[in-house]
Amino acid sequence: MVKGITFFKSKYKWYLPLLIVIIICIGVFTSINLYQNTIEKNKELLLERTKTISSFVEARDIDTLESNISDTEKPQYKDIKNHLQKALSESKDFRFLYLMTREGNETKFLIDSENEDSLDYSAPGDIYEDESVAIDEAFLGKASVEGPTKDTWGVWFSGLAPIVNQDNKVVAIFGIDVASDRYIKEALTEATIPLIITIFLVIILIVARYFQIKEEKTIEMRSKFVAIASHEIRSPLTGISWAIQSLEKENLGEETKALIKKVSINISNLIETINDILGITEVNTGDRTKDKSINLKTTLQEVIKDTELMRSKRFIDLEFGTDIPENQSVVADPEKMKQVFANILSNAIKYSKENSKINISFNSEKNSIIIKDSGVGIPKDEINKILSGFYRASNVKKDFNGSGLGLYYAKQIMEMYGGKIDIVSNLGKGTEIHLSFKK
Amino acid sequence: MKKIIIVEDDSLFAESLKQSFRDKDVETIFIDNGSDALKQIEAERPDALLLDIMIVGMSGIEIIDNLKSTNEELLKKTIMMTSMEQKDVLATVLEKGITIYIDKNSKTPEEITDEILNILN
């Protein structure tokens, strides 16, 4: 699932904690912001409601009140109290609505929304003893909201507005108390959402990284196994090969020599097959850690140089085209790409007639390298089978060295790097191998 | 007559090398483990050294480290025999001053013998 996602690869492992820290910071910041915004929004709404409701209280009705127990009989008192209680019942947030007045430096209740038999009832004339900035400001003519503040009755958000007469004198103040945890709960609920999203994102990132690490470990294990297996297989084979070569030089009878020669050819074939299979197994480990940007022209030239001996033995000339671009590069494991070129070239040399030519050119439209030989060619109906592995064409003598795997390996590699192989061939005339690279 | 020491612990390889050195005008001393190798190098003062990268008892790298401090001249006349799978070890070895290395799997014993003889001249 996370196979291709570059960001999680160990190469970039420091970006992930950085990203996580950034996400957490953004999450916490957004959370705090959302909390504060929700509270602010509610406070503003409360202020509006306070101003609106207070506008229905007439200053001249207030003037009739004396802030003592006799007020409770007055129709203005009862009227306003009804108003307050109605407004209270219509809101799910309001807890207390009240009117207060100030005499000297004492703040006294005029009317409140509680019934007389309630424990929280404040009778007219009861002194409000707690400190409140908003109450002070209201008496100075300014409406405001404060909270959360604590007083004798609990913790509140309070909206306070002045009630002024025609002379713009503040005769009383009107207040609404909302239980603080109403707003706080709402704010907390809002604020939790970004936190949840943050935690969710962080978990996803960590899990993805975990799977990536697991996959990398698996690939590493596979690679190590292939390396060890390769070594264990190649060493004794090389040892045997060397021993056989030494024997070939001994002075032995004709029949013995012939037998040793056959063993030698078989060992060579075996080594080549093992190399091809080990190569393919290595490709299949999925290990891409050796990939890097390589120059096609120089890589090709290196391999061509290695084939000098083989070519000269059969007097085969190599024409290296002038149209091959200097700066064309591809991202790949250099060893694997060299092996691809080596396999194609060695096939071309093996199946070419002596004294013939191999030509290498470039097709810029398809971004492909073309290796052309004038050898025995491949029957058309067998081209696909050869590319599918473990197959040598029927027109080729059995004691030619090599397995049929060279082209299969080349196909695997080209496709791994986003390219492809095409074969154009004419029996008896020659073969063209087109190696097309990803643009 | 020039003298070379060959440190190779696999008997099959050692035998093959012995064969290819047989008719050559050079004295060869074959050693199959690391600690003996250092002693012999010290005692015999060879003109060239053929060293396998992995040897029982001591890795080729340890021998090179030792040579670096005791006999740096010889390092220039040392051929390291490697196999394809030891690429990372190879890098370390090259850093320590080895300039010539041969992949066992792709050369014949003859070719390796020829390389050593080239160095001696």
Side-chain angles (χ1 to χ4, degrees), chain A residues 234 238 242 245 249-250, chain B residues 22 85 105 107-108 110:
Chain A
R234 281 195 178 115
T238 304
W242 282 22
Q245 283 170 53
K249 283 185 231 105
E250 294 292 310
Chain B
R22 211 170 39 184
E85 289 75 34
N105 295 316
K107 293 274 189 235
T108 64
E110 284 292 305

Side-chain angles (χ1 to χ4, degrees), chain A residues 88-141:
Chain A
L88 183 66
S89 64
E90 281 171 359
S91 160
K92 55 177 169 51
D93 283 338
F94 300 162
R95 177 66 185 89
F96 295 123
L97 279 76
Y98 45 90
L99 286 155
M100 295 199 270
T101 186
R102 202 164 252 186
E103 285 166 16
N105 42 9
E106 282 183 332
T107 307
K108 295 183 178 172
F109 278 94
L110 277 177
I111 309 176
D112 88 345
S113 52
E114 286 291 287
N115 286 327
E116 270 182 44
D117 51 3
S118 155
L119 285 168
D120 293 318
Y121 173 68
S122 300
D126 280 359
I127 298 177
Y128 181 80
E129 285 173 358
D130 300 299
E131 297 279 328
S132 164
V133 172
I135 287 180
D136 292 339
E137 289 199 335
F139 278 116
L140 291 172

Side-chain angles (χ1 to χ4, degrees), chain A residues 196-348:
Chain A
I196 290 179
I197 294 177
T198 302
I199 292 176
F200 185 63
L201 278 174
V202 169
I203 290 180
I204 288 183
L205 287 173
I206 293 179
V207 166
R209 172 80 187 123
Y210 166 75
F211 278 117
Q212 177 66 23
I213 291 179
K214 233 174 102 161
E215 167 135 351
E216 283 175 8
K217 285 211 155 60
T218 307
I219 290 180
E220 200 189 317
M221 254 174 48
R222 279 194 223 134
S223 274
K224 282 210 171 107
F225 169 74
V226 171
I228 293 174
S230 291
H231 183 73
E232 294 299 306
I233 291 174
R234 281 195 178 115
S235 280
L237 271 180
T238 304
I240 294 172
S241 173
W242 282 22
I244 293 291
Q245 283 170 53
S246 295
L247 278 178
E248 276 184 302
K249 283 185 231 105
E250 294 292 310
N251 238 334
L252 303 160
E254 282 301 308
E255 282 181 10
T256 314
K257 279 210 159 198
L259 193 55
I260 291 179
K261 182 86 197 153
K262 287 212 168 70
V263 172
S264 179
I265 292 178
N266 267 291
I267 295 276
S268 294
N269 282 350
L270 182 56
I271 289 180
E272 216 180 292
T273 305
I274 294 271
N275 279 337
D276 288 339
I277 293 179
L278 286 172
I280 290 167
T281 309
E282 213 266 317
V283 170
N284 288 338
T285 62
D287 183 3
R288 302 294 289 257
T289 54
K290 300 195 193 87
D291 290 1
K292 59 182 190 177
S293 184
I294 55 178
N295 182 301
L296 279 180
K297 186 171 185 184
T298 47
T299 309
L300 190 49
Q301 282 170 327
E302 273 176 54
V303 177
I304 287 173
K305 194 152 181 291
D306 288 339
T307 62
E308 244 176 74
L309 189 60
M310 204 176 161
R311 278 182 282 126
S312 62
K313 280 197 183 148
R314 309 195 68 229
F315 308 106
I316 292 175
D317 252 340
L318 192 133
E319 257 173 21
F320 195 69
T322 48
D323 50 355
I324 295 163
E326 295 292 327
N327 294 320
Q328 198 79 342
S329 61
V330 69
V331 174
D333 176 354
E335 290 309 311
K336 293 192 176 75
M337 201 44 77
K338 279 199 218 157
Q339 190 65 49
V340 169
F341 293 144
N343 286 358
I344 309 266
L345 276 172
S346 95
N347 276 352

Side-chain angles (χ1 to χ4, degrees), chain A residues 296 330-332 337 340-341 344 361-363 365-371 383-384 387 406-424 432-439:
Chain A
L296 279 180
V330 69
V331 174
M337 201 44 77
V340 169
F341 293 144
I344 309 266
S361 60
F362 183 77
N363 178 324
E365 197 192 308
K366 301 201 172 123
N367 206 33
S368 53
I369 288 179
I370 303 167
I371 297 152
I383 289 179
N384 276 334
L387 284 175
L407 275 178
Y408 177 63
Y409 177 84
K411 179 166 177 267
Q412 299 282 78
I413 297 294
M414 289 308 294
E415 285 175 3
M416 176 161 95
Y417 293 124
K420 61 181 184 131
I421 271 192
D422 293 297
I423 303 181
V424 179
E432 267 179 30
I433 309 276
H434 294 242
L435 295 169
S436 306
F437 293 89
K438 189 161 93 162
K439 286 207 175 147

